Amino acid sequence: MKTVVIGSGSWGSGLAQVLADNHVDVTIYGNCTEELQDIAENHRNEKFFPNVDLNPAIKVSTTIDVVKDADMIVLSVPTIAIESVCRDLLPYLDHKVIIVNTSKGFHPVTNERMSNVIRSVIPEQYLSSVVSLIGPSHAEEVVIRMLTTICAVSLNEADAITVQNTFSNAYLRVYRGKDEIGSEIGVALKNAIAVASGVLSGIGYGDNTKAALITRGLAEMIRFGTAMGGKLETFMGLTGIGDLIVTCTSVHSRNFQAGYEIGRSNDAKAFWENNTKTVEGVRTAQVIHDLAKEKGIEMPIIEEVYQVLYHGKEPRQSAYDLMHRELKEEHPYHSM
Ligand SMILES: NC(=O)C1=CN([C@@H]2O[C@H](COP(=O)(O)OP(=O)(O)OC[C@H]3O[C@@H](n4cnc5c(N)ncnc54)[C@H](OP(=O)(O)O)[C@@H]3O)[C@@H](O)[C@H]2O)C=CC1
Ligand SMILES: O=C(CO)COP(=O)(O)O
């Protein structure tokens, strides 16, 4: 099995190391020469993992034509780059490959899910199938081989099994799933809720608040995700509640970190002026907000995240407004 990982950032490096640990032939292609050089020469990616030694079997390539012999291509770039990366690699494909999507979010213009974006560019003659390898998995922990579980989600079960077998090992256990819609919506939406979790922590609220947010965030995820065609049980699994928990509670989460700074300064302005990191939840909040409005789905937390990020609403006011909504009976999947 020959694999190529596209993207030499945090998750690309982490997943390449999983493959190298599993004795799978793996090459990383990326557009950042410094990262590639660091991996090739020092077996490190200091920008993301200071003082962590990477498996020296990881190879690198500065040109995308390396995909031409690949059996499996793993896309580990931000969602905004998925379409262009697919267009860049397409001319080098002359046989069917499995494309593994690991990005969490939506296309920047069409708002499509990642699997649909990939299928819209790579024609069937070169695409065995898309498998989304997603779930609760911070690269910072995977790269130091901390026990982690994720899910290989695909409409093609045979390819999901191949991905499951290729990536699973003693520290990474890969489950399998078929609900592409539910899983891809779950892992995207949790990023926007994680921004809210960071905001509330940045304001100074504690564990009770976080538990409330995760519980009511899950209710919004289920309401939205099932309306879009996802299955209820998917949101109870790794690509639902699992990823929601890790992203809302982990200091590694860039979505949480972004929210934390916004909550601390009670303003999103500094975030917009200074952020250089991949914070997928920001754009996702807008996509979900707009789709929910269009379909008449009540999403009070997403609404507040959207107002804070895009309309300058003060985070403290948002927290106040959420707490002062009409009192009602709790039903996990209905309105807050
Ligand atoms: N980090 C994590 O723990 C996890 C991340 N994910 C998801 O994985 C996706 C990638 O995130 P992550 O790795 O963290 O992001 P990073 O910002 O750490 O890395 C992204 C990498 O992609 C590169 N890149 C961007 N555009 C292109 C392009 N057109 N061609 C080649 N390389 C490109 C970037 O290079 P440059 O800097 O030069 O632009 C960078 O090296 C996101 O959707 C995220 O949600 C999923 C699970 C875990
Ligand atoms: O998706 C992730 C963990 O599962 C990574 O989250 P962040 O993008 O917030 O760092």
Side-chain angles (χ1 to χ4, degrees):
M1 167 79 67
K2 198 163 176 177
T3 63
V4 172
V5 174
I6 311 274
S8 57
S10 164
W11 199 211
S13 305
L15 286 172
Q17 169 152 281
V18 171
L19 292 167
D21 283 356
N22 293 358
H23 307 290
V24 175
D25 182 324
V26 58
T27 304
I28 302 185
Y29 159 77
N31 63 359
C32 182
T33 328
E34 297 82 43
E35 286 163 22
L36 291 178
Q37 203 173 351
D38 199 18
I39 296 166
E41 292 174 9
N42 309 317
H43 310 305
R44 293 236 169 150
N45 194 339
E46 285 288 333
K47 180 175 167 193
F48 299 100
F49 313 123
N51 299 319
V52 175
D53 288 321
L54 297 176
N55 188 319
I58 302 170
K59 295 178 276 186
V60 305
S61 171
T62 52
T63 53
I64 201 165
D65 60 358
V66 68
V67 300
K68 64 181 182 298
D69 310 318
D71 304 297
M72 189 184 284
I73 300 174
V74 182
L75 305 184
S76 289
V77 295
T79 47
I80 47 164
I82 289 288
E83 184 184 356
S84 65
V85 158
C86 288
R87 290 197 191 287
D88 292 346
L89 65 83
L90 180 58
Y92 301 100
L93 298 182
D94 58 9
H95 60 287
K96 277 187 192 264
V97 292
I98 298 176
I99 304 252
V100 179
N101 162 59
T102 68
S103 298
K104 296 173 175 176
F106 301 97
H107 184 280
V109 178
T110 64
N111 298 340
E112 270 297 347
R113 288 184 294 108
M114 288 299 104
S115 288
N116 283 341
V117 173
I118 295 164
R119 282 190 290 263
S120 73
V121 179
I122 313 283
E124 266 179 39
Q125 66 187 119
Y126 300 127
L127 185 63
S128 180
S129 74
V130 181
V131 180
S132 279
L133 186 61
I134 44 183
S137 50
H138 284 293
E140 292 83 351
E141 296 192 359
V142 172
V143 84
I144 54 170
R145 303 180 177 90
M146 288 194 164
L147 305 190
T148 300
T149 55
I150 50 178
C151 201
V153 184
S154 183
L155 304 178
N156 180 324
E157 194 169 21
D159 284 351
I161 291 171
T162 301
V163 170
Q164 187 175 33
N165 289 329
T166 306
F167 282 86
S168 287
N169 61 25
Y171 62 86
L172 184 69
R173 182 172 167 79
V174 183
Y175 286 79
R176 238 177 18 249
K178 294 182 184 142
D179 182 11
E180 189 187 271
I181 298 176
S183 289
E184 291 187 5
I185 286 176
V187 299
L189 203 153
K190 63 87 189 178
N191 281 333
I193 303 291
V195 173
S197 180
V199 166
L200 293 168
S201 290
I203 292 174
Y205 294 120
D207 296 342
N208 295 350
T209 315
K210 205 167 280 175
L213 180 83
I214 291 172
T215 309
R216 297 313 307 175
L218 178 66
E220 290 191 22
M221 182 189 283
I222 291 171
R223 266 203 307 277
F224 181 83
T226 52
M228 301 299 285
K231 293 192 167 59
L232 174 61
E233 59 266 31
T234 302
F235 304 105
M236 299 304 173
L238 293 170
T239 57
I241 182 72
D243 215 352
L244 185 63
I245 290 172
V246 86
T247 321
C248 286
T249 60
S250 173
V251 290
H252 297 305
S253 165
R254 290 151 305 176
N255 287 285
F256 180 90
Q257 289 164 7
Y260 189 89
E261 286 312 314
I262 293 167
R264 214 169 50 89
S265 57
N266 200 30
D267 192 345
K269 203 162 156 259
F271 166 79
W272 285 113
E273 286 169 0
N274 304 322
N275 179 60
T276 54
K277 291 186 178 171
T278 301
V279 184
E280 299 278 20
V282 170
R283 159 91 184 123
T284 293
Q286 186 179 36
V287 175
I288 306 270
H289 171 271
D290 292 354
L291 281 171
K293 276 264 165 332
E294 194 183 301
K295 293 184 179 300
I297 307 166
E298 202 179 5
M299 309 278 287
I301 300 170
I302 292 292
E303 175 69 36
E304 294 304 329
V305 173
Y306 171 77
Q307 291 300 334
V308 166
L309 289 170
Y310 292 95
H311 293 287
K313 185 167 178 178
E314 287 193 3
R316 285 169 191 271
Q317 185 62 47
S318 280
Y320 178 94
D321 288 347
L322 281 170
M323 291 303 284
H324 289 80
R325 287 164 50 78
E326 183 197 346
L327 295 175
K328 52 188 65 169
E329 191 180 357
E330 182 192 17
H331 188 302
Y333 315 139
H334 293 159
S335 328
M336 187 159 175

